[in-house]
């Protein structure tokens, strides 16, 4: 067995041992977790409860992505509205300056008596002086024409700015409604999940945590059994190392939906802030990270890459190497290490490709 293979075998074994130790620790904490009361006939099993709670939190994660995306778009639209407002002010100032110039030209013409060119020639003592004056008149007429054209263009720009501002306000309002809808969905899903958990006895809650760990462990073991770690052997980039340093420093901080730190995070808040700390701005949500960042094959992923989970791309974690990833799991949980294959992988993306 080569050096790299031994290191990866040790890493995979360590992660497997970590998962198994977590399961044993949960059992040891209660001592009676395995002896939880039998459910009444017709009642849901604890495993069914776990699956329902897990699904509620996953749906809350999907709604959180929608909320975060709407929030990001609303910020962008607000910035555009501010920029349009600046353009409108500049355009209005320009119109005022053009009107002043037009007024000055009109006053100059008034002082000259507004005499037609033929009359000025008849009254002029010097034909050459008249011709010079006629040339200046033509220049003045052209300047007046240019002035009117510029005023028309500026007026047209102001009308377009008004249309753009209206469109941005409409988008802003649509995103505000989208945010409120998503927020309501998030709160409802989390409240339902917490309500289900609150009805459990202490030993049932402990057993629930154990079932959760068992499900993750089972999925991770199945993923590792494919031999995937034999193919994954890339090293982190310098930016990836910085992103990992930030992410791992947040371990133990709580999950809070919509949070981007510094004291709490949701899943994509953690990954986006980690890469921001590495000097690379990436999309705020897991769905946008999937849509806009370059994809890489699982066998080619390296530490720092982002793993997008579930068909709806509602969760994201950061690969740390040796078959593990770091993520902010869900409400009620903290930023932690987990198996990279402990949830269904949809894709892997690379922020610094």
């Amino acid at each position: 067995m080569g050096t790299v293979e031994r290191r990866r075998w040790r890493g995979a074994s360590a992660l497997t041992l970590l998962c198994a130790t977590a399961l044993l620790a949960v059992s040891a904490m209660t001592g009676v977790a395995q002896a939880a009361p039998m459910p009444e006939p017709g009642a849901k099993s604890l495993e069914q409860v776990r699956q329902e709670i897990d699904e509620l939190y996953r749906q809350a994660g999907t709604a959180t992505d929608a909320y975060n995306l709407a929030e990001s778009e609303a910020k962008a639209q607000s910035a555009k509205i501010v920029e349009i407002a600046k353009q409108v002010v500049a355009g209005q100032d320009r119109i005022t300056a053009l009107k002043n110039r037009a007024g000055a030209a009109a006053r100059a013409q008034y002082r000259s008596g507004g005499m037609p060119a033929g009359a000025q020639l008849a009254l002029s003592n010097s034909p050459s002086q008249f011709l010079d004056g006629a040339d200046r008149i033509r220049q003045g007429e052209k300047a007046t024409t240019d002035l009117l054209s510029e005023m028309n263009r500026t007026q047209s720009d102001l009308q377009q700015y008004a249309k753009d501002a209206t469109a941005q306000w409409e988008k802003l309002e649509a995103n505000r409604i989208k945010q409120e809808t998503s927020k309501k969905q998030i709160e409802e899903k989390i409240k339902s999940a917490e309500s289900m958990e609150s009805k459990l006895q202490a030993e049932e809650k402990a057993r629930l945590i154990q079932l959760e760990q068992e499900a993750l462990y089972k999925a991770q073991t199945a993923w590792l059994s494919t031999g995937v770690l034999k193919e994954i052997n890339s090293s982190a980039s310098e930016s990836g190392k910085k992103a990992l340093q930030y992410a791992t420093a947040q371990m133990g901080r709580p999950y809070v939906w919509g949070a981007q730190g510094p004291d709490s995070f949701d899943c994509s808040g953690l990954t986006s802030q980690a890469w921001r700390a590495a000097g690379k701005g990436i999309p705020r949500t897991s769905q946008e990270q999937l849509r806009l960042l370059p994809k890489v094959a699982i066998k080619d992923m390296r530490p720092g890459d982002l793993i997008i989970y579930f068909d709806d791309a509602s969760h994201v974690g950061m690969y740390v190497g040796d078959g593990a990833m770091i993520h902010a799991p869900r409400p009620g949980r903290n930023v932690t290490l987990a198996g990279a294959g402990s949830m269904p992988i949809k894709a892997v993306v690379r922020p610094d490709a």
Side-chain angles (χ1 to χ4, degrees), residues 35-173:
M38 292 294 293
E40 297 178 4
K44 296 177 182 177
S45 69
L46 203 54
E47 174 59 19
Q48 289 174 317
V49 171
R50 182 198 69 78
Q51 291 177 3
E52 287 189 27
I53 290 174
D54 188 59
E55 180 61 21
L56 284 168
Y57 279 126
R58 201 175 72 77
Q59 290 174 7
T62 302
T64 297
D65 238 25
Y67 176 92
N68 290 336
L69 180 58
E71 183 179 48
S72 296
E73 290 178 344
K75 288 180 180 178
Q77 285 144 10
S78 295
K80 287 180 181 178
I81 290 170
V82 170
E83 184 58 34
I84 290 171
K86 292 178 180 178
Q87 292 173 329
V88 168
V89 170
Q92 290 172 337
D93 290 344
R94 184 64 178 158
I95 287 289
T96 299
L98 292 171
K99 285 181 177 179
N100 290 337
R101 282 172 54 190
R107 288 191 295 273
Q109 186 177 15
Y110 175 77
R111 285 193 297 270
S112 71
M115 296 175 64
Q120 291 185 34
L121 175 59
L123 296 174
S124 176
N125 296 323
S126 170
S128 63
Q129 184 180 5
F130 166 76
L131 291 175
D132 289 342
D135 185 57
R136 286 195 297 273
I137 288 172
R138 284 194 297 271
Q139 291 176 359
E141 288 174 345
K142 183 179 183 303
T144 300
T145 301
D146 292 345
L147 181 64
L148 291 173
S149 296
E150 188 171 356
M151 287 182 68
N152 288 334
R153 285 196 303 272
T154 306
Q155 290 282 15
S156 178
D157 288 343
L158 286 174
Q159 291 174 356
Q160 186 59 49
Y161 294 155
K163 291 180 182 178
D164 291 345
T166 299
Q168 293 301 326
W169 276 113
E170 289 174 352
K171 289 180 181 179
L172 192 63
E173 177 62 13

Side-chain angles (χ1 to χ4, degrees), residues 1-7:
M1 184 182 292
T3 302
V4 172
E5 291 178 336
R6 282 199 300 272
R7 182 174 64 82

Side-chain angles (χ1 to χ4, degrees), residues 6 8 15 28 55 88 92 135 155 171 173 178 204 213 220 239 261 267 272 275 281 286 295 315 347:
R6 282 199 300 272
R8 298 207 169 277
L15 185 60
E55 180 61 21
V88 168
Q92 290 172 337
D135 185 57
Q155 290 282 15
K171 289 180 181 179
E173 177 62 13
K178 188 188 298 183
E204 290 177 318
Q213 293 296 328
Q220 174 72 358
S239 296
C267 65
S272 61
W275 272 100
S286 56
K295 298 177 181 61
H315 193 69

Side-chain angles (χ1 to χ4, degrees), residues 65 68-69 72-73 268 282-293 308 313 349:
D65 238 25
N68 290 336
L69 180 58
S72 296
E73 290 178 344
S268 58
I282 65 172
R284 167 67 177 88
T285 71
S286 56
Q287 292 172 348
E288 288 296 281
Q289 289 168 2
L290 171 65
R291 187 173 73 88
L292 297 175
L293 296 179
I308 310 296
V349 296

